[in-house]
Coordinates of all heavy atoms in Angstrom, one line a residue:
M84 N 13.7 16.9 -14.2 CA 13.8 15.8 -15.2 C 12.5 15.8 -16.0 O 11.4 16.0 -15.5 CB 14.0 14.5 -14.5 CG 15.4 14.3 -13.8 SD 16.8 14.4 -14.9 CE 16.6 12.8 -15.7
T85 N 12.7 15.6 -17.3 CA 11.5 15.6 -18.2 C 11.4 14.2 -18.8 O 12.3 13.4 -18.7 CB 11.7 16.6 -19.3 OG1 12.8 16.2 -20.2 CG2 12.0 18.0 -18.8
Q86 N 10.3 14.0 -19.5 CA 10.1 12.7 -20.2 C 11.2 12.5 -21.2 O 11.7 11.4 -21.5 CB 8.7 12.7 -20.8 CG 8.4 11.4 -21.5 CD 7.0 11.4 -22.1 OE1 6.3 12.4 -22.1 NE2 6.5 10.2 -22.6
A87 N 11.6 13.6 -21.9 CA 12.6 13.6 -22.9 C 13.9 13.1 -22.3 O 14.7 12.3 -22.9 CB 12.8 14.9 -23.6
D88 N 14.2 13.6 -21.1 CA 15.4 13.2 -20.4 C 15.5 11.7 -20.1 O 16.5 11.0 -20.4 CB 15.6 13.9 -19.0 CG 15.7 15.4 -19.1 OD1 16.1 15.9 -20.2 OD2 15.4 16.1 -18.1
D89 N 14.3 11.2 -19.7 CA 14.2 9.7 -19.5 C 14.4 8.9 -20.8 O 15.1 7.9 -20.8 CB 12.9 9.3 -18.9 CG 12.7 9.8 -17.4 OD1 13.8 10.1 -16.8 OD2 11.6 9.8 -16.9
R90 N 13.8 9.4 -21.9 CA 14.0 8.8 -23.2 C 15.4 8.8 -23.7 O 15.9 7.8 -24.2 CB 13.1 9.4 -24.2 CG 11.6 9.2 -24.1 CD 11.1 7.8 -24.5 NE 11.5 7.4 -25.8 CZ 10.9 7.7 -27.0 NH1 9.8 8.4 -27.0 NH2 11.4 7.2 -28.1
V91 N 16.1 9.9 -23.5 CA 17.5 10.0 -23.9 C 18.3 9.0 -23.1 O 19.1 8.3 -23.7 CB 18.0 11.4 -23.7 CG1 19.5 11.5 -23.7 CG2 17.4 12.4 -24.7
L92 N 18.2 9.0 -21.8 CA 18.9 8.1 -20.9 C 18.6 6.6 -21.3 O 19.5 5.8 -21.4 CB 18.7 8.3 -19.5 CG 19.2 9.7 -18.9 CD1 18.7 9.9 -17.5 CD2 20.7 9.8 -19.0
E93 N 17.4 6.3 -21.5 CA 17.0 4.9 -21.9 C 17.6 4.5 -23.2 O 18.1 3.4 -23.4 CB 15.5 4.8 -22.0 CG 14.8 4.9 -20.6 CD 13.3 5.1 -20.7 OE1 12.8 5.3 -21.8 OE2 12.6 5.1 -19.6
T94 N 17.6 5.5 -24.2 CA 18.1 5.2 -25.5 C 19.6 5.0 -25.4 O 20.2 4.0 -26.0 CB 17.8 6.3 -26.5 OG1 16.4 6.4 -26.6 CG2 18.3 6.0 -27.9
L95 N 20.3 5.8 -24.7 CA 21.8 5.6 -24.5 C 22.1 4.3 -23.8 O 23.0 3.6 -24.2 CB 22.4 6.8 -23.7 CG 22.4 8.2 -24.5 CD1 22.8 9.3 -23.5 CD2 23.4 8.1 -25.6
S96 N 21.3 4.0 -22.8 CA 21.6 2.8 -22.0 C 21.3 1.6 -22.8 O 22.1 0.6 -22.9 CB 20.7 2.8 -20.7 OG 20.9 1.6 -20.0
D97 N 20.1 1.5 -23.5 CA 19.7 0.4 -24.2 C 20.6 0.1 -25.4 O 20.9 -1.1 -25.7 CB 18.3 0.5 -24.8 CG 17.2 0.5 -23.7 OD1 17.6 0.1 -22.5 OD2 16.1 0.9 -23.9
S98 N 21.1 1.1 -26.0 CA 22.0 1.0 -27.2 C 23.4 0.6 -26.8 O 24.1 -0.1 -27.5 CB 22.0 2.2 -28.1 OG 22.7 3.3 -27.5
G99 N 23.9 1.2 -25.7 CA 25.2 1.0 -25.3 C 26.2 1.7 -26.2 O 27.4 1.5 -26.2
L100 N 25.7 2.7 -27.0 CA 26.5 3.4 -27.9 C 26.7 4.9 -27.5 O 26.0 5.4 -26.6 CB 25.7 3.4 -29.3 CG 25.5 2.1 -29.9 CD1 24.6 2.2 -31.2 CD2 26.8 1.4 -30.3
I101 N 27.6 5.5 -28.1 CA 27.9 6.9 -28.0 C 27.1 7.6 -29.1 O 27.2 7.2 -30.3 CB 29.4 7.2 -28.2 CG1 30.2 6.6 -27.0 CG2 29.6 8.7 -28.2 CD1 31.7 6.6 -27.3
L102 N 26.1 8.5 -28.8 CA 25.2 9.0 -29.8 C 25.2 10.5 -29.8 O 25.5 11.2 -28.8 CB 23.8 8.5 -29.5 CG 23.6 7.0 -29.5 CD1 22.2 6.7 -29.0 CD2 23.9 6.4 -30.8
S103 N 24.8 11.1 -30.9 CA 24.7 12.5 -31.1 C 23.2 12.9 -30.9 O 22.3 12.1 -31.1 CB 25.2 12.9 -32.5 OG 24.2 12.4 -33.5
P104 N 22.9 14.2 -30.7 CA 21.6 14.7 -30.7 C 20.8 14.3 -32.0 O 19.6 14.0 -31.9 CB 21.7 16.2 -30.5 CG 23.0 16.4 -29.8 CD 23.9 15.3 -30.4
R105 N 21.5 14.4 -33.1 CA 20.8 14.0 -34.4 C 20.3 12.6 -34.4 O 19.2 12.3 -34.8 CB 21.8 14.3 -35.5 CG 21.1 14.0 -36.9 CD 22.1 14.5 -38.0 NE 21.4 14.2 -39.3 CZ 22.0 13.5 -40.2 NH1 23.2 13.0 -40.1 NH2 21.4 13.3 -41.4
I106 N 21.2 11.7 -34.0 CA 20.8 10.2 -33.9 C 19.7 10.0 -32.9 O 18.8 9.3 -33.1 CB 22.0 9.4 -33.7 CG1 23.1 9.5 -34.8 CG2 21.6 7.9 -33.5 CD1 22.6 9.1 -36.1
L107 N 19.8 10.7 -31.7 CA 18.8 10.5 -30.7 C 17.5 11.0 -31.2 O 16.4 10.4 -31.0 CB 19.2 11.3 -29.4 CG 20.3 10.6 -28.6 CD1 21.0 11.6 -27.6 CD2 19.8 9.4 -27.9
S108 N 17.5 12.1 -31.9 CA 16.3 12.7 -32.5 C 15.6 11.7 -33.5 O 14.4 11.6 -33.5 CB 16.6 14.0 -33.2 OG 15.4 14.5 -33.8
A109 N 16.4 11.1 -34.3 CA 15.9 10.1 -35.3 C 15.3 8.9 -34.6 O 14.4 8.2 -35.2 CB 17.0 9.6 -36.2
N110 N 15.6 8.7 -33.3 CA 15.1 7.5 -32.6 C 14.1 7.9 -31.5 O 13.7 7.0 -30.7 CB 16.2 6.7 -32.0 CG 17.0 6.0 -33.1 OD1 16.6 5.0 -33.7 ND2 18.2 6.6 -33.4
T111 N 13.7 9.1 -31.4 CA 12.7 9.6 -30.4 C 11.8 10.5 -31.1 O 11.9 10.8 -32.3 CB 13.4 10.3 -29.2 OG1 14.1 11.5 -29.7 CG2 14.4 9.4 -28.5
D112 N 10.8 11.1 -30.4 CA 9.9 12.0 -30.9 C 10.3 13.5 -30.6 O 9.4 14.4 -30.6 CB 8.5 11.8 -30.4 CG 7.9 10.4 -30.8 OD1 8.3 9.9 -31.9 OD2 7.2 9.8 -30.0
Y113 N 11.5 13.7 -30.4 CA 12.0 15.1 -30.1 C 12.9 15.6 -31.1 O 13.7 14.9 -31.8 CB 12.7 15.0 -28.7 CG 11.8 14.5 -27.6 CD1 11.9 13.2 -27.2 CD2 10.9 15.3 -27.0 CE1 11.1 12.7 -26.2 CE2 10.0 14.8 -26.0 CZ 10.1 13.5 -25.6 OH 9.3 13.0 -24.7
S114 N 13.0 17.0 -31.3 CA 13.8 17.6 -32.3 C 15.3 17.6 -31.8 O 15.6 17.5 -30.6 CB 13.4 19.0 -32.5 OG 13.7 19.9 -31.4
R115 N 16.2 17.7 -32.7 CA 17.6 17.7 -32.4 C 17.9 18.9 -31.5 O 18.7 18.8 -30.6 CB 18.4 17.8 -33.7 CG 19.9 17.8 -33.5 CD 20.7 18.2 -34.7 NE 20.3 19.5 -35.2 CZ 20.7 20.7 -34.7 NH1 21.4 20.7 -33.6 NH2 20.3 21.8 -35.3
H116 N 17.4 20.0 -31.8 CA 17.6 21.3 -31.0 C 17.2 21.1 -29.6 O 17.9 21.4 -28.7 CB 16.9 22.5 -31.7 CG 17.1 23.7 -30.9 ND1 18.3 24.4 -30.8 CD2 16.2 24.4 -30.1 CE1 18.1 25.4 -30.0 NE2 16.9 25.5 -29.6
Y117 N 16.0 20.5 -29.4 CA 15.5 20.3 -28.0 C 16.4 19.3 -27.3 O 16.7 19.5 -26.1 CB 14.0 19.8 -28.1 CG 13.4 19.6 -26.7 CD1 13.2 20.6 -25.9 CD2 13.1 18.3 -26.3 CE1 12.6 20.4 -24.6 CE2 12.6 18.0 -25.1 CZ 12.4 19.1 -24.2 OH 11.8 18.9 -23.0
L118 N 16.8 18.2 -28.0 CA 17.6 17.2 -27.3 C 19.0 17.8 -27.0 O 19.5 17.4 -25.9 CB 17.7 16.0 -28.2 CG 16.4 15.2 -28.3 CD1 16.6 14.0 -29.2 CD2 15.9 14.7 -26.9
S119 N 19.5 18.7 -27.8 CA 20.8 19.3 -27.5 C 20.7 20.1 -26.2 O 21.6 20.1 -25.3 CB 21.2 20.3 -28.6 OG 21.5 19.5 -29.8
T120 N 19.6 20.8 -26.0 CA 19.3 21.5 -24.8 C 19.2 20.6 -23.6 O 19.8 20.8 -22.5 CB 18.0 22.4 -24.9 OG1 18.2 23.3 -26.0 CG2 17.8 23.2 -23.6
R121 N 18.4 19.5 -23.7 CA 18.3 18.6 -22.6 C 19.6 17.9 -22.3 O 19.9 17.6 -21.1 CB 17.2 17.5 -23.0 CG 15.8 18.1 -23.2 CD 15.3 19.1 -22.1 NE 15.5 18.6 -20.7 CZ 15.5 19.3 -19.7 NH1 15.4 20.6 -19.8 NH2 15.7 18.8 -18.5
L122 N 20.4 17.6 -23.3 CA 21.7 16.9 -23.1 C 22.6 17.8 -22.2 O 23.3 17.3 -21.4 CB 22.3 16.5 -24.4 CG 21.8 15.3 -25.0 CD1 22.2 15.2 -26.5 CD2 22.3 14.0 -24.3
G123 N 22.5 19.1 -22.4 CA 23.2 20.1 -21.6 C 22.8 20.0 -20.1 O 23.7 20.0 -19.2
H124 N 21.5 19.8 -19.9 CA 21.1 19.6 -18.5 C 21.5 18.3 -17.9 O 21.9 18.2 -16.8 CB 19.5 19.7 -18.4 CG 19.0 21.1 -18.7 ND1 19.1 22.2 -17.8 CD2 18.4 21.6 -19.8 CE1 18.6 23.2 -18.4 NE2 18.2 22.9 -19.6
L125 N 21.4 17.3 -18.7 CA 21.9 15.9 -18.3 C 23.4 15.9 -18.0 O 23.8 15.3 -17.1 CB 21.5 14.9 -19.3 CG 20.0 14.6 -19.5 CD1 19.7 13.7 -20.7 CD2 19.4 14.1 -18.2
L126 N 24.1 16.6 -18.8 CA 25.6 16.8 -18.6 C 25.9 17.5 -17.3 O 26.7 17.0 -16.5 CB 26.2 17.5 -19.8 CG 27.7 17.7 -19.9 CD1 28.4 16.4 -20.0 CD2 28.1 18.6 -21.0
D127 N 25.2 18.6 -17.1 CA 25.3 19.3 -15.8 C 25.0 18.5 -14.6 O 25.6 18.6 -13.5 CB 24.5 20.6 -15.8 CG 24.9 21.6 -16.8 OD1 26.1 21.6 -17.2 OD2 24.1 22.5 -17.1
A128 N 24.0 17.6 -14.7 CA 23.6 16.7 -13.6 C 24.5 15.5 -13.5 O 24.4 14.7 -12.6 CB 22.2 16.2 -13.8
G129 N 25.5 15.3 -14.4 CA 26.4 14.2 -14.3 C 25.8 12.8 -14.8 O 26.3 11.8 -14.5
L130 N 24.6 12.9 -15.6 CA 24.0 11.7 -16.0 C 24.5 11.3 -17.4 O 24.3 10.1 -17.7 CB 22.5 12.0 -16.1 CG 21.8 12.4 -14.8 CD1 20.3 12.6 -14.9 CD2 22.0 11.3 -13.7
V131 N 25.0 12.2 -18.2 CA 25.7 11.8 -19.4 C 27.1 12.5 -19.4 O 27.4 13.4 -18.7 CB 24.9 12.3 -20.7 CG1 23.5 11.6 -20.7 CG2 24.8 13.8 -20.7
E132 N 27.9 11.9 -20.3 CA 29.3 12.4 -20.5 C 29.5 12.8 -21.9 O 29.0 12.1 -22.8 CB 30.2 11.3 -20.1 CG 31.7 11.7 -20.3 CD 32.6 10.5 -19.9 OE1 32.1 9.5 -19.3 OE2 33.7 10.5 -20.4
R133 N 30.1 13.9 -22.2 CA 30.5 14.3 -23.5 C 31.8 13.6 -23.9 O 32.8 13.8 -23.3 CB 30.6 15.8 -23.7 CG 30.9 16.2 -25.1 CD 31.1 17.7 -25.3 NE 29.8 18.4 -25.1 CZ 29.7 19.5 -24.3 NH1 30.7 20.0 -23.6 NH2 28.5 20.1 -24.1
V134 N 31.7 12.7 -24.9 CA 32.8 12.0 -25.3 C 33.7 12.7 -26.3 O 34.9 12.7 -26.3 CB 32.4 10.6 -25.9 CG1 33.6 9.8 -26.4 CG2 31.6 9.8 -24.9
D135 N 33.0 13.5 -27.1 CA 33.6 14.3 -28.1 C 32.6 15.4 -28.5 O 31.5 15.3 -28.0 CB 34.0 13.5 -29.4 CG 35.0 14.1 -30.3 OD1 35.4 15.3 -30.0 OD2 35.5 13.5 -31.3
E136 N 33.0 16.3 -29.3 CA 32.0 17.4 -29.7 C 30.8 16.8 -30.2 O 30.8 16.1 -31.3 CB 32.7 18.3 -30.7 CG 31.8 19.5 -31.0 CD 31.7 20.5 -29.9 OE1 32.6 20.6 -29.0 OE2 30.6 21.1 -29.8
G137 N 29.6 17.0 -29.5 CA 28.3 16.5 -30.0 C 28.1 15.0 -29.9 O 27.1 14.5 -30.4
L138 N 28.9 14.3 -29.1 CA 28.7 12.9 -28.9 C 28.6 12.6 -27.4 O 29.5 13.1 -26.6 CB 29.9 12.1 -29.5 CG 30.0 12.2 -31.0 CD1 31.3 11.5 -31.4 CD2 28.8 11.6 -31.7
Y139 N 27.6 11.8 -27.0 CA 27.3 11.6 -25.6 C 27.2 10.1 -25.3 O 26.7 9.4 -26.1 CB 26.0 12.3 -25.2 CG 26.1 13.8 -25.4 CD1 25.9 14.4 -26.6 CD2 26.5 14.6 -24.3 CE1 26.0 15.8 -26.8 CE2 26.6 16.0 -24.5 CZ 26.3 16.6 -25.7 OH 26.4 17.9 -25.9
K140 N 27.5 9.8 -24.0 CA 27.2 8.4 -23.5 C 26.7 8.6 -22.1 O 26.9 9.6 -21.4 CB 28.4 7.5 -23.5 CG 29.5 7.9 -22.5 CD 30.6 6.9 -22.6 CE 31.7 7.2 -21.5 NZ 32.7 6.1 -21.5
I141 N 25.9 7.6 -21.6 CA 25.4 7.6 -20.3 C 26.5 7.3 -19.3 O 27.4 6.5 -19.6 CB 24.2 6.6 -20.2 CG1 23.4 6.8 -18.9 CG2 24.7 5.1 -20.3 CD1 22.1 6.0 -18.8
T142 N 26.4 7.9 -18.1 CA 27.4 7.7 -17.0 C 26.8 6.6 -16.1 O 25.6 6.3 -16.1 CB 27.7 9.0 -16.3 OG1 26.4 9.4 -15.7 CG2 28.2 10.0 -17.2
D143 N 27.7 6.2 -15.1 CA 27.2 5.3 -14.1 C 26.1 6.0 -13.3 O 25.1 5.3 -12.8 CB 28.4 4.9 -13.1 CG 29.4 4.0 -13.8 OD1 29.0 3.4 -14.8 OD2 30.5 3.9 -13.3
R144 N 26.2 7.3 -13.1 CA 25.2 8.1 -12.3 C 23.9 8.0 -13.1 O 22.8 7.9 -12.5 CB 25.7 9.5 -12.1 CG 24.8 10.4 -11.3 CD 25.5 11.7 -11.1 NE 24.6 12.7 -10.6 CZ 24.4 13.1 -9.4 NH1 25.0 12.4 -8.4 NH2 23.5 14.0 -9.0
G145 N 23.9 8.2 -14.4 CA 22.8 8.1 -15.3 C 22.1 6.7 -15.2 O 20.9 6.6 -15.2
Q146 N 22.9 5.7 -15.2 CA 22.4 4.3 -15.1 C 21.8 4.1 -13.7 O 20.7 3.5 -13.7 CB 23.6 3.3 -15.3 CG 23.1 1.9 -15.6 CD 22.4 1.8 -16.9 OE1 22.8 2.3 -17.9 NE2 21.2 1.2 -16.8
A147 N 22.4 4.7 -12.7 CA 21.8 4.6 -11.4 C 20.4 5.2 -11.3 O 19.5 4.7 -10.7 CB 22.7 5.2 -10.3
Y148 N 20.3 6.4 -12.0 CA 19.0 7.1 -12.1 C 17.9 6.1 -12.7 O 16.8 6.0 -12.3 CB 19.1 8.4 -12.8 CG 17.8 9.0 -13.1 CD1 17.0 9.7 -12.1 CD2 17.2 8.9 -14.4 CE1 15.8 10.2 -12.4 CE2 16.0 9.4 -14.7 CZ 15.3 10.1 -13.7 OH 14.0 10.6 -14.0
L149 N 18.3 5.6 -13.9 CA 17.4 4.7 -14.6 C 17.0 3.5 -13.8 O 15.8 3.0 -13.9 CB 18.0 4.2 -15.9 CG 18.1 5.2 -17.0 CD1 18.7 4.5 -18.3 CD2 16.7 5.7 -17.4
E150 N 17.9 3.0 -13.0 CA 17.6 1.8 -12.2 C 16.9 2.1 -10.9 O 16.5 1.2 -10.1 CB 18.9 1.1 -11.9 CG 19.5 0.5 -13.1 CD 21.0 -0.1 -12.9 OE1 21.5 0.0 -11.8 OE2 21.6 -0.5 -13.9
G151 N 16.6 3.4 -10.6 CA 15.9 3.8 -9.5 C 16.7 4.0 -8.2 O 16.2 4.2 -7.1
D152 N 18.0 3.9 -8.4 CA 18.9 4.1 -7.2 C 19.2 5.6 -7.0 O 19.9 5.9 -6.0 CB 20.2 3.4 -7.5 CG 20.0 1.9 -7.6 OD1 19.1 1.3 -7.0 OD2 20.8 1.2 -8.3
L153 N 18.8 6.4 -7.8 CA 19.0 7.9 -7.7 C 17.7 8.6 -8.1 O 17.2 8.4 -9.2 CB 20.1 8.3 -8.6 CG 20.6 9.8 -8.5 CD1 21.1 10.1 -7.2 CD2 21.7 10.0 -9.6
E154 N 17.1 9.4 -7.2 CA 15.8 10.0 -7.4 C 16.0 11.4 -8.1 O 17.1 12.0 -7.9 CB 15.1 10.2 -6.1 CG 14.7 8.9 -5.4 CD 13.7 8.1 -6.2 OE1 12.8 8.7 -6.8 OE2 13.8 6.8 -6.2
A155 N 15.1 11.8 -8.8 CA 15.1 13.1 -9.5 C 15.3 14.2 -8.4 O 16.0 15.2 -8.7 CB 13.9 13.4 -10.3
A156 N 14.7 14.1 -7.3 CA 14.8 15.1 -6.2 C 16.2 15.2 -5.7 O 16.7 16.3 -5.4 CB 13.9 14.7 -5.0
D157 N 17.0 14.1 -5.7 CA 18.4 14.1 -5.4 C 19.2 14.9 -6.4 O 20.1 15.6 -6.0 CB 18.9 12.7 -5.3 CG 18.3 11.9 -4.2 OD1 17.8 12.5 -3.2 OD2 18.2 10.6 -4.3
L158 N 18.8 14.8 -7.6 CA 19.5 15.6 -8.7 C 19.3 17.1 -8.5 O 20.3 17.8 -8.6 CB 19.0 15.2 -10.1 CG 19.2 13.7 -10.4 CD1 18.6 13.4 -11.8 CD2 20.7 13.4 -10.5
E159 N 18.1 17.5 -8.1 CA 17.8 18.9 -7.9 C 18.6 19.4 -6.7 O 19.1 20.6 -6.8 CB 16.3 19.1 -7.8 CG 15.6 18.8 -9.0 CD 14.1 18.7 -8.8 OE1 13.6 19.0 -7.7 OE2 13.4 18.3 -9.8
R160 N 18.8 18.7 -5.7 CA 19.5 19.1 -4.5 C 21.0 19.3 -4.8 O 21.7 20.1 -4.3 CB 19.4 18.1 -3.4 CG 18.1 18.3 -2.6 CD 18.1 17.5 -1.3 NE 18.1 16.1 -1.5 CZ 17.1 15.3 -1.5 NH1 15.9 15.8 -1.4 NH2 17.2 14.0 -1.7
D161 N 21.5 18.5 -5.8 CA 22.9 18.5 -6.2 C 23.3 19.8 -7.0 O 24.4 20.1 -7.1 CB 23.3 17.3 -6.9 CG 23.4 16.0 -6.1 OD1 23.3 16.2 -4.9 OD2 23.4 14.9 -6.7
E162 N 22.3 20.4 -7.6 CA 22.5 21.5 -8.5 C 22.9 22.8 -7.7 O 22.6 23.1 -6.7 CB 21.3 21.8 -9.4 CG 21.1 20.7 -10.4 CD 19.9 20.9 -11.3 OE1 19.1 21.8 -11.0 OE2 19.8 20.2 -12.3

């Protein structure tokens, strides 16, 4: 997990919206391309869900990670 991953999850959680890498980029200090890559990792870890092509929302698992109920080490063991 990276600082960008945390920012993406926080932004998705705080907004309650379905967002694209472009919108996430406009609201963080990361490029759209980098966020697209990170969203792929978050998707693989089950922390975000692809709602449609290029649109993502946080999952219950992602929310649990933000709330401290799921540790980064647990995510690495699941891979």
